[in-house]
Amino acid sequence: MTEDEFSPWAEPQIARYAQAKTRAGAWNPEEALANSHENFDRMLPKGLATPGHHVWVARDEKTSERVGTLWIEMRSSAAHSEAYVCFVEVDEAQRGKGYGRAIMDAGATAARRLGVASMALNVFEDNTTAYNLYSSLGYRTANRTMRLEL
């Protein structure tokens, strides 16, 4: 992703994340957008120059047309290293054409080259399309967060 592409990409993602966290019951609607901005700014304080973060625009191999985006964060501990998928999206007009699988496969290839042992991600419960894609790619549930509204 280029600097020129970053801001037009970031704002809609911040709004979508706020909506997803609200739907999941994690944030109230009045605070969701501010929380999402805070979270985004904490994760990417230097934008594309933030160390350990990689944000790519996915393009069709034949036409070079933009088809989606992928953002991964490199995470390491003494025992393990992984690429964490912070955000992946296929552009709306390109959905259903296999690009989601291709983007995730390309991300795994890039993560291997960057030297990590695994990839991890979070998927919201209501996003069954994404959950099914990740399952078909070999991702397995590592934990679940459950909530009881009181």
Short mmCIF file of all heavy atoms in Angstrom, two decimals, residues 91-147:
data_model
loop_
_atom_site.label_atom_id
_atom_site.label_comp_id
_atom_site.label_asym_id
_atom_site.label_seq_id
_atom_site.Cartn_x
_atom_site.Cartn_y
_atom_site.Cartn_z
N ASP A 91 -12.59 -6.34 -1.83
CA ASP A 91 -13.47 -5.23 -2.22
C ASP A 91 -14.82 -5.79 -2.64
O ASP A 91 -14.91 -6.85 -3.27
CB ASP A 91 -12.84 -4.43 -3.36
CG ASP A 91 -11.56 -3.73 -2.94
OD1 ASP A 91 -11.28 -3.61 -1.73
OD2 ASP A 91 -10.82 -3.29 -3.84
N GLU A 92 -15.88 -5.08 -2.27
CA GLU A 92 -17.24 -5.58 -2.46
C GLU A 92 -17.52 -6.07 -3.88
O GLU A 92 -18.11 -7.13 -4.07
CB GLU A 92 -18.25 -4.49 -2.06
CG GLU A 92 -19.64 -5.05 -1.90
CD GLU A 92 -20.59 -4.06 -1.24
OE1 GLU A 92 -20.14 -3.17 -0.49
OE2 GLU A 92 -21.79 -4.21 -1.49
N ALA A 93 -17.09 -5.35 -4.88
CA ALA A 93 -17.36 -5.74 -6.27
C ALA A 93 -16.59 -6.99 -6.69
O ALA A 93 -16.89 -7.59 -7.72
CB ALA A 93 -17.02 -4.59 -7.21
N GLN A 94 -15.60 -7.39 -5.89
CA GLN A 94 -14.75 -8.52 -6.26
C GLN A 94 -15.06 -9.79 -5.46
O GLN A 94 -14.41 -10.82 -5.65
CB GLN A 94 -13.28 -8.14 -6.05
CG GLN A 94 -12.85 -6.93 -6.84
CD GLN A 94 -12.97 -7.14 -8.34
OE1 GLN A 94 -12.98 -8.26 -8.84
NE2 GLN A 94 -13.08 -6.05 -9.08
N ARG A 95 -16.03 -9.74 -4.58
CA ARG A 95 -16.34 -10.89 -3.72
C ARG A 95 -16.92 -12.05 -4.51
O ARG A 95 -17.57 -11.86 -5.52
CB ARG A 95 -17.27 -10.45 -2.60
CG ARG A 95 -16.57 -9.49 -1.67
CD ARG A 95 -17.43 -9.02 -0.53
NE ARG A 95 -16.66 -8.01 0.21
CZ ARG A 95 -17.19 -7.15 1.03
NH1 ARG A 95 -18.49 -7.17 1.28
NH2 ARG A 95 -16.43 -6.27 1.64
N GLY A 96 -16.63 -13.25 -4.01
CA GLY A 96 -17.15 -14.46 -4.64
C GLY A 96 -16.34 -14.94 -5.83
O GLY A 96 -16.78 -15.83 -6.56
N LYS A 97 -15.15 -14.39 -6.02
CA LYS A 97 -14.32 -14.75 -7.18
C LYS A 97 -13.04 -15.48 -6.77
O LYS A 97 -12.16 -15.67 -7.59
CB LYS A 97 -13.96 -13.49 -7.96
CG LYS A 97 -15.17 -12.74 -8.50
CD LYS A 97 -14.75 -11.46 -9.20
CE LYS A 97 -15.97 -10.70 -9.69
NZ LYS A 97 -15.58 -9.42 -10.34
N GLY A 98 -12.92 -15.84 -5.50
CA GLY A 98 -11.74 -16.56 -5.03
C GLY A 98 -10.61 -15.67 -4.53
O GLY A 98 -9.55 -16.16 -4.15
N TYR A 99 -10.84 -14.36 -4.50
CA TYR A 99 -9.77 -13.46 -4.08
C TYR A 99 -9.48 -13.57 -2.58
O TYR A 99 -8.32 -13.39 -2.16
CB TYR A 99 -10.09 -12.02 -4.45
CG TYR A 99 -10.03 -11.75 -5.92
CD1 TYR A 99 -11.14 -11.27 -6.61
CD2 TYR A 99 -8.85 -11.96 -6.63
CE1 TYR A 99 -11.08 -11.01 -7.97
CE2 TYR A 99 -8.79 -11.71 -8.00
CZ TYR A 99 -9.90 -11.23 -8.66
OH TYR A 99 -9.84 -10.98 -10.01
N GLY A 100 -10.49 -13.85 -1.77
CA GLY A 100 -10.25 -13.99 -0.33
C GLY A 100 -9.23 -15.09 -0.05
O GLY A 100 -8.27 -14.90 0.71
N ARG A 101 -9.43 -16.22 -0.67
CA ARG A 101 -8.50 -17.34 -0.53
C ARG A 101 -7.11 -16.95 -1.05
O ARG A 101 -6.10 -17.21 -0.41
CB ARG A 101 -9.03 -18.55 -1.28
CG ARG A 101 -8.13 -19.77 -1.22
CD ARG A 101 -8.80 -20.97 -1.87
NE ARG A 101 -10.05 -21.33 -1.20
CZ ARG A 101 -10.12 -22.03 -0.06
NH1 ARG A 101 -9.02 -22.46 0.50
NH2 ARG A 101 -11.28 -22.30 0.48
N ALA A 102 -7.07 -16.29 -2.20
CA ALA A 102 -5.79 -15.90 -2.78
C ALA A 102 -5.06 -14.89 -1.89
O ALA A 102 -3.83 -14.98 -1.72
CB ALA A 102 -6.01 -15.31 -4.18
N ILE A 103 -5.79 -13.95 -1.31
CA ILE A 103 -5.17 -12.96 -0.42
C ILE A 103 -4.60 -13.65 0.82
O ILE A 103 -3.47 -13.38 1.23
CB ILE A 103 -6.18 -11.85 -0.04
CG1 ILE A 103 -6.49 -10.98 -1.26
CG2 ILE A 103 -5.65 -11.01 1.12
CD1 ILE A 103 -7.67 -10.04 -1.07
N MET A 104 -5.37 -14.55 1.41
CA MET A 104 -4.90 -15.26 2.59
C MET A 104 -3.70 -16.15 2.26
O MET A 104 -2.74 -16.23 3.04
CB MET A 104 -6.03 -16.06 3.23
CG MET A 104 -7.13 -15.19 3.82
SD MET A 104 -6.56 -14.06 5.11
CE MET A 104 -6.12 -15.23 6.39
N ASP A 105 -3.72 -16.81 1.12
CA ASP A 105 -2.57 -17.63 0.71
C ASP A 105 -1.33 -16.76 0.49
O ASP A 105 -0.23 -17.12 0.90
CB ASP A 105 -2.89 -18.42 -0.57
CG ASP A 105 -3.80 -19.61 -0.32
OD1 ASP A 105 -3.94 -20.05 0.84
OD2 ASP A 105 -4.37 -20.11 -1.32
N ALA A 106 -1.51 -15.61 -0.16
CA ALA A 106 -0.38 -14.70 -0.38
C ALA A 106 0.15 -14.17 0.95
O ALA A 106 1.36 -14.04 1.14
CB ALA A 106 -0.80 -13.55 -1.29
N GLY A 107 -0.75 -13.90 1.89
CA GLY A 107 -0.34 -13.46 3.22
C GLY A 107 0.48 -14.52 3.94
O GLY A 107 1.49 -14.21 4.58
N ALA A 108 0.06 -15.79 3.83
CA ALA A 108 0.80 -16.89 4.45
C ALA A 108 2.19 -17.02 3.82
O ALA A 108 3.18 -17.23 4.53
CB ALA A 108 0.02 -18.19 4.33
N THR A 109 2.26 -16.86 2.52
CA THR A 109 3.56 -16.93 1.83
C THR A 109 4.47 -15.80 2.30
O THR A 109 5.65 -16.02 2.61
CB THR A 109 3.36 -16.87 0.31
OG1 THR A 109 2.59 -18.01 -0.09
CG2 THR A 109 4.68 -16.85 -0.43
N ALA A 110 3.93 -14.60 2.39
CA ALA A 110 4.72 -13.45 2.86
C ALA A 110 5.15 -13.65 4.31
O ALA A 110 6.30 -13.35 4.67
CB ALA A 110 3.90 -12.16 2.72
N ALA A 111 4.25 -14.17 5.14
CA ALA A 111 4.59 -14.39 6.56
C ALA A 111 5.71 -15.41 6.70
O ALA A 111 6.63 -15.23 7.52
CB ALA A 111 3.34 -14.84 7.31
N ARG A 112 5.67 -16.46 5.90
CA ARG A 112 6.76 -17.45 5.91
C ARG A 112 8.09 -16.78 5.56
O ARG A 112 9.10 -17.02 6.21
CB ARG A 112 6.49 -18.58 4.93
CG ARG A 112 5.75 -19.74 5.51
CD ARG A 112 5.68 -20.92 4.54
NE ARG A 112 4.32 -21.44 4.55
CZ ARG A 112 3.35 -21.12 3.70
NH1 ARG A 112 3.56 -20.31 2.70
NH2 ARG A 112 2.16 -21.65 3.83
N ARG A 113 8.06 -15.95 4.54
CA ARG A 113 9.28 -15.24 4.13
C ARG A 113 9.79 -14.30 5.22
O ARG A 113 10.99 -14.05 5.32
CB ARG A 113 9.03 -14.45 2.85
CG ARG A 113 8.95 -15.31 1.63
CD ARG A 113 8.92 -14.46 0.36
NE ARG A 113 8.57 -15.30 -0.76
CZ ARG A 113 7.61 -15.03 -1.63
NH1 ARG A 113 6.92 -13.92 -1.56
NH2 ARG A 113 7.35 -15.87 -2.62
N LEU A 114 8.85 -13.77 6.01
CA LEU A 114 9.22 -12.88 7.11
C LEU A 114 9.68 -13.66 8.34
O LEU A 114 10.08 -13.06 9.34
CB LEU A 114 8.05 -11.95 7.45
CG LEU A 114 7.73 -10.91 6.37
CD1 LEU A 114 6.37 -10.27 6.62
CD2 LEU A 114 8.83 -9.85 6.31
N GLY A 115 9.60 -14.98 8.28
CA GLY A 115 10.20 -15.82 9.30
C GLY A 115 9.33 -16.24 10.47
O GLY A 115 9.86 -16.67 11.49
N VAL A 116 8.02 -16.15 10.34
CA VAL A 116 7.16 -16.55 11.46
C VAL A 116 6.71 -18.01 11.33
O VAL A 116 6.74 -18.59 10.25
CB VAL A 116 5.94 -15.63 11.62
CG1 VAL A 116 6.38 -14.21 11.95
CG2 VAL A 116 5.07 -15.64 10.39
N ALA A 117 6.28 -18.57 12.46
CA ALA A 117 5.91 -19.98 12.51
C ALA A 117 4.42 -20.23 12.24
O ALA A 117 4.04 -21.33 11.89
CB ALA A 117 6.27 -20.55 13.88
N SER A 118 3.59 -19.21 12.41
CA SER A 118 2.15 -19.41 12.23
C SER A 118 1.46 -18.09 11.92
O SER A 118 2.07 -17.02 12.02
CB SER A 118 1.53 -20.03 13.49
OG SER A 118 1.63 -19.14 14.58
N MET A 119 0.19 -18.21 11.54
CA MET A 119 -0.67 -17.04 11.36
C MET A 119 -1.88 -17.21 12.25
O MET A 119 -2.36 -18.33 12.44
CB MET A 119 -1.13 -16.88 9.90
CG MET A 119 -0.03 -16.33 9.01
SD MET A 119 -0.55 -16.02 7.31
CE MET A 119 -1.71 -14.67 7.49
N ALA A 120 -2.38 -16.10 12.79
CA ALA A 120 -3.55 -16.12 13.64
C ALA A 120 -4.46 -14.97 13.25
O ALA A 120 -4.03 -14.02 12.59
CB ALA A 120 -3.15 -15.99 15.11
N LEU A 121 -5.72 -15.05 13.65
CA LEU A 121 -6.67 -13.99 13.36
C LEU A 121 -7.87 -14.11 14.28
O LEU A 121 -8.04 -15.11 14.97
CB LEU A 121 -7.14 -14.06 11.90
CG LEU A 121 -7.68 -15.39 11.36
CD1 LEU A 121 -9.13 -15.60 11.73
CD2 LEU A 121 -7.51 -15.44 9.86
N ASN A 122 -8.67 -13.08 14.30
CA ASN A 122 -9.95 -13.08 15.00
C ASN A 122 -11.03 -12.99 13.94
O ASN A 122 -10.88 -12.27 12.96
CB ASN A 122 -10.05 -11.86 15.94
CG ASN A 122 -11.40 -11.79 16.61
OD1 ASN A 122 -11.73 -12.61 17.44
ND2 ASN A 122 -12.20 -10.80 16.24
N VAL A 123 -12.10 -13.73 14.14
CA VAL A 123 -13.25 -13.61 13.24
C VAL A 123 -14.49 -13.44 14.12
O VAL A 123 -14.67 -14.18 15.09
CB VAL A 123 -13.37 -14.81 12.27
CG1 VAL A 123 -13.53 -16.12 12.99
CG2 VAL A 123 -14.49 -14.59 11.27
N PHE A 124 -15.30 -12.45 13.80
CA PHE A 124 -16.51 -12.22 14.57
C PHE A 124 -17.53 -13.33 14.30
O PHE A 124 -17.62 -13.85 13.18
CB PHE A 124 -17.11 -10.84 14.25
CG PHE A 124 -16.28 -9.71 14.81
CD1 PHE A 124 -15.44 -8.98 14.00
CD2 PHE A 124 -16.33 -9.42 16.16
CE1 PHE A 124 -14.67 -7.95 14.52
CE2 PHE A 124 -15.56 -8.40 16.70
CZ PHE A 124 -14.73 -7.66 15.88
N GLU A 125 -18.27 -13.68 15.31
CA GLU A 125 -19.22 -14.79 15.26
C GLU A 125 -20.22 -14.68 14.11
O GLU A 125 -20.59 -15.66 13.51
CB GLU A 125 -19.98 -14.88 16.60
CG GLU A 125 -20.86 -16.09 16.74
CD GLU A 125 -20.09 -17.38 16.95
OE1 GLU A 125 -18.93 -17.32 17.38
OE2 GLU A 125 -20.66 -18.45 16.68
N ASP A 126 -20.64 -13.46 13.79
CA ASP A 126 -21.66 -13.29 12.74
C ASP A 126 -21.08 -13.34 11.33
O ASP A 126 -21.82 -13.31 10.36
CB ASP A 126 -22.44 -11.99 12.95
CG ASP A 126 -21.60 -10.72 12.78
OD1 ASP A 126 -20.36 -10.81 12.83
OD2 ASP A 126 -22.20 -9.65 12.63
N ASN A 127 -19.77 -13.46 11.19
CA ASN A 127 -19.14 -13.46 9.87
C ASN A 127 -18.89 -14.90 9.42
O ASN A 127 -17.75 -15.36 9.34
CB ASN A 127 -17.84 -12.65 9.89
CG ASN A 127 -17.33 -12.33 8.51
OD1 ASN A 127 -17.77 -12.91 7.52
ND2 ASN A 127 -16.40 -11.41 8.44
N THR A 128 -19.96 -15.61 9.12
CA THR A 128 -19.85 -17.03 8.77
C THR A 128 -19.09 -17.25 7.46
O THR A 128 -18.41 -18.26 7.32
CB THR A 128 -21.23 -17.70 8.72
OG1 THR A 128 -22.06 -16.98 7.80
CG2 THR A 128 -21.89 -17.73 10.08
N THR A 129 -19.20 -16.34 6.51
CA THR A 129 -18.48 -16.49 5.25
C THR A 129 -16.98 -16.52 5.52
O THR A 129 -16.26 -17.40 5.02
CB THR A 129 -18.83 -15.36 4.28
OG1 THR A 129 -20.24 -15.39 4.03
CG2 THR A 129 -18.08 -15.49 2.96
N ALA A 130 -16.50 -15.57 6.31
CA ALA A 130 -15.07 -15.53 6.63
C ALA A 130 -14.67 -16.75 7.45
O ALA A 130 -13.64 -17.37 7.19
CB ALA A 130 -14.73 -14.25 7.38
N TYR A 131 -15.48 -17.10 8.44
CA TYR A 131 -15.17 -18.27 9.27
C TYR A 131 -15.02 -19.53 8.40
O TYR A 131 -14.07 -20.30 8.57
CB TYR A 131 -16.25 -18.49 10.33
CG TYR A 131 -15.97 -19.69 11.19
CD1 TYR A 131 -15.13 -19.59 12.29
CD2 TYR A 131 -16.50 -20.94 10.88
CE1 TYR A 131 -14.83 -20.70 13.07
CE2 TYR A 131 -16.20 -22.06 11.64
CZ TYR A 131 -15.38 -21.93 12.74
OH TYR A 131 -15.08 -23.04 13.49
N ASN A 132 -15.92 -19.71 7.48
CA ASN A 132 -15.86 -20.89 6.60
C ASN A 132 -14.61 -20.86 5.71
O ASN A 132 -13.98 -21.90 5.48
CB ASN A 132 -17.13 -21.02 5.77
CG ASN A 132 -18.32 -21.37 6.62
OD1 ASN A 132 -18.20 -21.97 7.69
ND2 ASN A 132 -19.51 -20.99 6.16
N LEU A 133 -14.25 -19.68 5.21
CA LEU A 133 -13.03 -19.56 4.41
C LEU A 133 -11.82 -19.94 5.25
O LEU A 133 -11.00 -20.76 4.83
CB LEU A 133 -12.87 -18.15 3.86
CG LEU A 133 -11.51 -17.85 3.21
CD1 LEU A 133 -11.27 -18.72 1.98
CD2 LEU A 133 -11.39 -16.38 2.88
N TYR A 134 -11.70 -19.35 6.44
CA TYR A 134 -10.53 -19.62 7.27
C TYR A 134 -10.46 -21.10 7.65
O TYR A 134 -9.38 -21.69 7.62
CB TYR A 134 -10.54 -18.75 8.53
CG TYR A 134 -10.62 -17.26 8.24
CD1 TYR A 134 -11.35 -16.42 9.06
CD2 TYR A 134 -9.98 -16.70 7.13
CE1 TYR A 134 -11.44 -15.07 8.80
CE2 TYR A 134 -10.07 -15.34 6.87
CZ TYR A 134 -10.80 -14.53 7.71
OH TYR A 134 -10.89 -13.19 7.45
N SER A 135 -11.59 -21.70 7.96
CA SER A 135 -11.61 -23.14 8.28
C SER A 135 -11.13 -23.96 7.09
O SER A 135 -10.34 -24.89 7.25
CB SER A 135 -13.02 -23.58 8.68
OG SER A 135 -13.39 -22.98 9.90
N SER A 136 -11.58 -23.59 5.89
CA SER A 136 -11.17 -24.34 4.70
C SER A 136 -9.69 -24.18 4.39
O SER A 136 -9.08 -25.02 3.73
CB SER A 136 -12.01 -23.93 3.48
OG SER A 136 -11.60 -22.68 2.98
N LEU A 137 -9.08 -23.10 4.88
CA LEU A 137 -7.65 -22.86 4.70
C LEU A 137 -6.81 -23.57 5.76
O LEU A 137 -5.58 -23.52 5.71
CB LEU A 137 -7.35 -21.36 4.73
CG LEU A 137 -7.82 -20.57 3.52
CD1 LEU A 137 -7.76 -19.06 3.80
CD2 LEU A 137 -6.99 -20.90 2.29
N GLY A 138 -7.47 -24.19 6.74
CA GLY A 138 -6.75 -24.92 7.77
C GLY A 138 -6.66 -24.24 9.12
O GLY A 138 -6.08 -24.78 10.06
N TYR A 139 -7.23 -23.04 9.25
CA TYR A 139 -7.25 -22.37 10.56
C TYR A 139 -8.16 -23.15 11.49
O TYR A 139 -9.21 -23.64 11.06
CB TYR A 139 -7.77 -20.94 10.42
CG TYR A 139 -6.80 -19.98 9.79
CD1 TYR A 139 -6.62 -19.96 8.41
CD2 TYR A 139 -6.06 -19.10 10.56
CE1 TYR A 139 -5.73 -19.09 7.81
CE2 TYR A 139 -5.16 -18.21 9.97
CZ TYR A 139 -5.00 -18.22 8.61
OH TYR A 139 -4.12 -17.36 8.02
N ARG A 140 -7.76 -23.24 12.75
CA ARG A 140 -8.56 -23.92 13.77
C ARG A 140 -8.80 -22.97 14.93
O ARG A 140 -7.95 -22.14 15.25
CB ARG A 140 -7.82 -25.17 14.29
CG ARG A 140 -7.58 -26.20 13.21
CD ARG A 140 -8.90 -26.83 12.75
NE ARG A 140 -8.73 -27.63 11.56
CZ ARG A 140 -9.25 -27.36 10.37
NH1 ARG A 140 -10.01 -26.30 10.20
NH2 ARG A 140 -9.05 -28.14 9.34
N THR A 141 -9.95 -23.12 15.57
CA THR A 141 -10.29 -22.27 16.70
C THR A 141 -9.31 -22.53 17.84
O THR A 141 -9.13 -23.66 18.27
CB THR A 141 -11.74 -22.56 17.17
OG1 THR A 141 -12.62 -22.31 16.08
CG2 THR A 141 -12.11 -21.67 18.35
N ALA A 142 -8.69 -21.45 18.31
CA ALA A 142 -7.74 -21.54 19.42
C ALA A 142 -8.39 -21.15 20.74
O ALA A 142 -8.01 -21.64 21.79
CB ALA A 142 -6.53 -20.64 19.15
N ASN A 143 -9.36 -20.26 20.70
CA ASN A 143 -10.12 -19.89 21.89
C ASN A 143 -11.40 -19.21 21.45
O ASN A 143 -11.57 -18.88 20.28
CB ASN A 143 -9.29 -18.98 22.82
CG ASN A 143 -8.87 -17.70 22.16
OD1 ASN A 143 -9.51 -17.20 21.25
ND2 ASN A 143 -7.77 -17.14 22.62
N ARG A 144 -12.31 -19.03 22.39
CA ARG A 144 -13.56 -18.33 22.12
C ARG A 144 -13.82 -17.33 23.22
O ARG A 144 -13.57 -17.62 24.38
CB ARG A 144 -14.74 -19.31 22.08
CG ARG A 144 -14.77 -20.16 20.87
CD ARG A 144 -16.01 -21.00 20.87
NE ARG A 144 -15.95 -21.89 19.73
CZ ARG A 144 -16.99 -22.28 19.05
NH1 ARG A 144 -18.18 -21.85 19.40
NH2 ARG A 144 -16.85 -23.07 18.04
N THR A 145 -14.34 -16.20 22.84
CA THR A 145 -14.78 -15.22 23.83
C THR A 145 -16.29 -15.25 23.83
O THR A 145 -16.92 -15.15 22.76
CB THR A 145 -14.27 -13.81 23.45
OG1 THR A 145 -12.85 -13.85 23.40
CG2 THR A 145 -14.74 -12.78 24.44
N MET A 146 -16.87 -15.41 24.99
CA MET A 146 -18.33 -15.45 25.09
C MET A 146 -18.77 -14.31 25.99
O MET A 146 -18.02 -13.83 26.82
CB MET A 146 -18.78 -16.80 25.63
CG MET A 146 -18.37 -17.95 24.70
SD MET A 146 -18.75 -19.57 25.38
CE MET A 146 -20.51 -19.61 25.06
N ARG A 147 -20.01 -13.86 25.80
CA ARG A 147 -20.52 -12.73 26.55
C ARG A 147 -21.96 -13.00 26.97
O ARG A 147 -22.74 -13.54 26.21
CB ARG A 147 -20.47 -11.48 25.67
CG ARG A 147 -21.04 -10.23 26.29
CD ARG A 147 -20.98 -9.01 25.39
NE ARG A 147 -19.77 -8.88 24.62
CZ ARG A 147 -18.58 -8.47 25.09
NH1 ARG A 147 -18.43 -8.17 26.34
NH2 ARG A 147 -17.54 -8.38 24.29
#
